[in-house]
Amino acid sequence: MPDGPARKETPLSPRAAATRQRILDAALAEFAEKGLAGSRVDEIAERAGANKRMLYAHFGSKEELWMVVLERAYAAKRAEEREVEVQHLPPGDAMARLVSFNLRYTARHPEFVALLNQENLHQAAYLRRSEDVPALYSPIVDALRGVLARGVAEGVFRQGVDPMQLYISILALGHFYVANRHTLSTIFGAPLDTEAAIAAREAHITDVVLGYLRP
């Protein structure tokens, strides 16, 4: 079980910052492929064109590197979420855009799905350590709250929908699809990671969500 505070980042020279970034990129790829337990520091270092001493100097341990990679993965998604503009759209179109964003982001970033699956196997032990957890709160929950309120006011959405529960449902409908795309493709005998397949899934999820919200 991890313990102790997260390591603080300090200003780095351009060369050191570039090395650190290469290590993070290599670690993301390695962790997504093999998980925390299956990844090896020497393999991450080799993939980054660095050495183990350099990796430990920047991150202290494999576990600390995992936590930084996880935080950055969340932060990257949250940054894109903040760019999703829905205030000017009618409630139904706004909800469809939020559904589309989540599915499309997940489909573009299967490594994010892999990291989350791994962290759940560890019962969020590393995420709970993070001092950045409050910043990882999804802005889309607030966007959903606003869209729901407008939809209720305009009579196109029913009342009493919990934004957090709706957010989790939207995530689940996309996350399961991407996380299980290989087995589902094999079972159904059709590739589910093509643009056509993702578009069909997007349309289905949108219909499910808007059908649930109908008064």
Side-chain angles (χ1 to χ4, degrees), residues 52-96:
K52 286 198 294 183
R53 179 186 58 78
M54 215 171 282
L55 187 150
Y56 287 127
H58 281 287
F59 299 101
S61 67
K62 182 176 75 167
E63 290 73 20
E64 185 63 35
L65 177 57
W66 167 267
M67 195 170 78
V68 174
V69 168
L70 187 65
E71 287 174 339
R72 287 168 61 91
Y74 267 104
K77 185 169 191 280
R78 298 307 179 242
E80 287 202 28
E81 287 178 343
R82 291 186 187 94
E83 298 301 315
V84 181
E85 294 288 343
V86 294
Q87 297 88 342
H88 63 291
L89 295 174
D93 293 343
M95 190 62 64

Side-chain angles (χ1 to χ4, degrees), residues 89-166:
L89 295 174
D93 293 343
M95 190 62 64
R97 176 166 293 186
L98 293 174
V99 168
S100 174
F101 169 81
N102 272 287
L103 175 64
R104 294 288 178 168
Y105 188 93
T106 305
R108 290 198 314 272
H109 297 280
E111 74 284 357
F112 182 63
V113 174
L115 291 179
L116 264 60
N117 289 348
Q118 283 291 317
E119 183 64 8
N120 275 288
L121 289 177
H122 294 288
Q123 300 180 350
Y126 297 93
L127 193 60
R128 280 199 304 270
R129 278 182 60 202
S130 172
E131 297 176 356
D132 294 333
V133 163
L136 301 180
Y137 176 84
S138 174
I140 283 203
V141 178
D142 292 330
L144 280 171
R145 185 176 288 109
V147 172
L148 286 170
R150 288 197 289 119
V152 169
E154 295 179 24
V156 295
F157 292 163
R158 67 186 182 87
Q159 297 185 16
V161 176
D162 184 332
M164 185 193 76
Q165 292 294 343
L166 180 60

